[in-house]
Amino acid sequence: MDHGNTEKYERILKDKLEWGKLATFVPNKDTPVYNWFFYKEGFARELVLKCLESFGIKKGLVLDPFCGSGTTLLACKEAGIDSVGLDVLPMSVLAARAKTTDYDWEKVRETAKKLLKRKFKFVQSDFPGNLRRFFQKHTLDDVLFFKGEVDALPEDVRDFFMLALVRTTMKASWAYKDGSVLKVRKHPVPPFRHFFRRMIYRMIKEGESKKGKGKANASIGDARNIWLESNKVDAVITSPPYLNIIDYTKVYAIENWFAGKGKPTPLRSYFGFSEGKEGEKKYFEDMGTVLKEMHRVMKKGAMAGIVVGNAYFPDRVVEVDLILAGMGENIGFKAKEIIVLNKRPALEGRTRKVGTLRESMVVLQK
Ligand SMILES: C[S@@+](CC[C@H](N)C(=O)[O-])C[C@H]1O[C@@H](n2cnc3c(N)ncnc32)[C@H](O)[C@@H]1O
C-alpha cells in the first residue's frame, strides 16, 4: 500500500525509551482503582499525567475516543479535568464508569449489606453454553444468582457491583487468558459469596479514598462518530487498537456477557477485523475517519497524543506512527513530534533486519 511520503516525518521522531513501560498497563497493577480491571491493552496513569503536563492542560475537557478501561478518564479526574470516553466493548465501558463515578459510599455500603444477605435461589439464565466449562457448577449457580440480584439494583450503584461481580467471577473461574484464546486451568475456588464480599469491601475502601474532582463521561460508542459538538475539546489522549494485532475481544467473552446485560453485542464497528492487505486498507480508512472526527471536536491549538504500534508483516514493517503523522497533516493537523516509547528490530528469519518496530506517541496539534 502506498502511504505517500512518510520519510519526512522521520525528523520528528524523538526517543523517550525511559517512558517505555508507560505504554503498558503494568504500572497500574498496584495502583488502587486503576487496577479494578486488568486491561492488557491499556496504558499507564503516568503517561496521561505526563501528557497533560506537556500539553499544559490544567482544566477543560479531554477526550479519549478509545477509552478502554478508562485510564485517561481516571487520570484526568484525579487532575481535576473533565473527560469524555468512548469504547465499543461493553466491558471496557463498565470498568471505566465504575472507576470514575462519584458514588454515594454510604448508599454503596448499605446496598452491599443487603445484597450479601440475600438467600440463594437457583435462577435460569441464558449464560452461553460454551462458557460454562470455565466454572464449577455450584460456582456458576452462585454467580448467576448474584448477576440477577445486581441487575435489579438501582442504577446509581449498579456498575460498581457489576464490576465487583465480574472481577470475583473471573477469579472464581477456571478461565485463563492465553494470548487471544481462553483456556481452562482448574484450581480450587473458595466459596463464592465469601470471595464476593471481600472484593466488594476492598473496592469500597479504595473507592472512598479516590481523589479528584474532574467529571468523567464514559459511554459505548464508535470513535468514527463522536457524539460531541465541534470545537469543544482541549486535548485528546488515546490509543487505538494496533494494526495486525490479534483479535483480543474473544478473551473478554465472559466479562462482556455481564457488561452487556447478558446480550452479545455485535462488534462490527471493531477495528482490524479483516486480515492482510484488506485489513491494512480498512485500518487506515478507519483511522482517517477517526482523525477527522478528532479534528472536528478539538479546539484550535489543542493537542492530541495518540499511542500506536508499528506492525510487522512477514516481509515488511508498516510504520503506523509516520503514516498517521502524514494523514494528520493532510487533514489539517500539524505533526509536532513522534515520541518513541519502545523499539526493537523486526527480523525476518530471525536474522535479517527488515525495519524497526516502534511503539510511539504521535503528537498532533489542530
Ligand atoms: C489500546 S485499547 C485502549 C486502552 C486504554 N488506553 C486503557 O488504558 O485502558 C483500544 C480500545 O479501542 C477500542 N475500540 C476498538 N474499536 C473501536 C471503535 N470503533 N470505537 C471506539 N473504541 C474502539 C477497544 O475496545 C479497546 O478498548
Side-chain angles (χ1 to χ4, degrees):
M1 256 183 95
D2 180 22
H3 293 290
N5 177 15
T6 54
E7 273 144 41
K8 68 177 190 189
Y9 298 106
E10 281 174 7
R11 65 181 161 77
I12 59 167
L13 286 169
K14 193 162 122 194
D15 279 2
K16 250 192 207 164
L17 303 175
E18 66 278 16
W19 286 13
K21 254 229 153 98
L22 304 187
T24 74
F25 199 79
V26 176
N28 295 341
K29 252 174 89 175
D30 299 319
T31 314
V33 189
Y34 285 85
N35 63 6
W36 280 3
F37 186 66
F38 186 87
Y39 204 48
K40 200 164 155 280
E41 297 70 31
F43 50 41
R45 163 187 179 268
E46 285 76 15
L47 190 71
V48 180
L49 297 179
K50 280 184 192 302
C51 269
L52 291 174
E53 197 190 330
S54 80
F55 295 170
I57 305 291
K58 293 205 171 67
K59 57 185 176 52
L61 182 67
V62 169
L63 165 71
D64 185 346
F66 300 98
C67 72
S69 62
T71 313
T72 299
L73 277 48
L74 190 53
C76 285
K77 180 178 184 54
E78 230 188 289
I81 299 161
D82 294 346
S83 60
V84 164
L86 302 176
D87 204 286
V88 285
L89 270 197
M91 184 57 221
S92 304
V93 174
L94 171 68
R97 279 204 186 142
K99 288 180 189 178
T100 54
T101 299
D102 292 312
Y103 288 106
D104 170 350
W105 292 109
E106 204 50 47
K107 180 165 182 181
V108 174
R109 282 185 179 277
E110 275 306 306
T111 310
K113 231 192 265 171
K114 285 188 205 145
L115 179 68
L116 291 162
K117 272 194 202 137
R118 301 261 158 85
K119 277 224 164 62
F120 172 80
K121 57 180 187 302
F122 179 81
V123 290
Q124 290 293 346
S125 162
D126 59 356
F127 189 71
N130 64 330
L131 299 178
R132 289 184 183 256
R133 67 197 160 98
F134 295 110
F135 297 90
Q136 266 170 307
K137 171 143 181 7
H138 63 89
T139 306
L140 187 59
D141 287 346
D142 274 342
V143 166
L144 297 176
F145 162 70
F146 278 116
K147 165 74 165 56
E149 297 296 314
V150 172
D151 272 342
L153 290 177
E155 216 184 315
D156 56 351
V157 292
R158 195 186 304 139
D159 287 343
F160 176 86
F161 286 97
M162 194 59 87
L163 183 60
L165 180 64
V166 174
R167 292 183 69 194
T168 319
T169 301
M170 294 317 289
K171 280 191 191 295
S173 82
W174 290 333
Y176 158 71
K177 295 182 170 78
D178 186 9
S180 60
V181 283
L182 270 184
K183 291 190 175 157
V184 173
R185 193 157 70 182
K186 295 193 177 179
H187 55 80
V189 173
F192 187 81
R193 190 180 290 256
H194 170 76
F195 219 0
F196 190 31
R197 175 190 310 271
R198 270 204 350 227
M199 180 66 81
I200 289 174
Y201 284 108
R202 200 169 81 208
M203 284 173 63
I204 291 179
K205 208 166 149 220
E206 290 186 4
E208 280 175 335
S209 52
K210 201 162 62 181
K211 293 188 199 77
K213 293 264 177 290
K215 291 264 166 282
N217 176 327
S219 61
I220 302 247
D222 189 330
R224 293 166 298 185
N225 185 10
I226 300 170
W227 60 265
L228 287 166
E229 282 170 38
S230 304
N231 307 310
K232 290 283 176 216
V233 168
D234 296 278
V236 172
I237 302 172
T238 195
S239 174
Y242 291 3
L243 173 63
N244 200 26
I245 202 109
I246 49 168
D247 165 19
Y248 51 76
T249 54
K250 285 192 213 116
V251 297
Y252 296 112
I254 301 176
E255 290 95 327
N256 276 326
W257 182 80
F258 286 86
K261 309 250 178 309
K263 286 188 216 95
T265 313
L267 285 176
R268 262 180 311 238
S269 53
Y270 202 85
F271 272 43
F273 261 1
S274 26
E275 281 173 25
K277 287 256 189 287
E278 188 47 37
E280 185 181 339
K281 187 167 151 273
K282 178 121 198 338
Y283 182 82
F284 287 109
E285 261 171 37
D286 284 342
M287 278 311 296
T289 314
V290 175
L291 287 173
K292 277 193 199 132
E293 273 294 84
M294 277 170 35
H295 190 271
R296 177 184 68 76
V297 298
M298 284 164 73
K299 291 181 183 166
K300 195 165 175 1
M303 309 287 276
I306 309 165
V307 178
V308 290
N310 291 350
Y312 177 58
F313 291 95
D315 51 345
R316 69 204 164 92
V317 169
V318 180
E319 298 189 289
V320 177
D321 48 3
L322 303 184
I323 297 168
L324 289 189
M327 286 172 61
E329 290 223 327
N330 288 339
I331 285 165
F333 283 108
K334 170 101 193 95
K336 300 294 280 184
E337 57 182 359
I338 299 174
I339 301 172
V340 182
L341 304 167
N342 288 298
K343 64 176 168 187
R344 62 191 165 88
L347 300 175
E348 195 189 288
R350 294 200 185 175
T351 47
R352 196 171 74 86
K353 189 174 167 195
V354 288
T356 305
L357 281 173
R358 286 184 301 272
E359 197 172 20
S360 320
M361 182 182 329
V362 181
V363 181
L364 304 173
Q365 184 170 33
K366 177 167 171 181

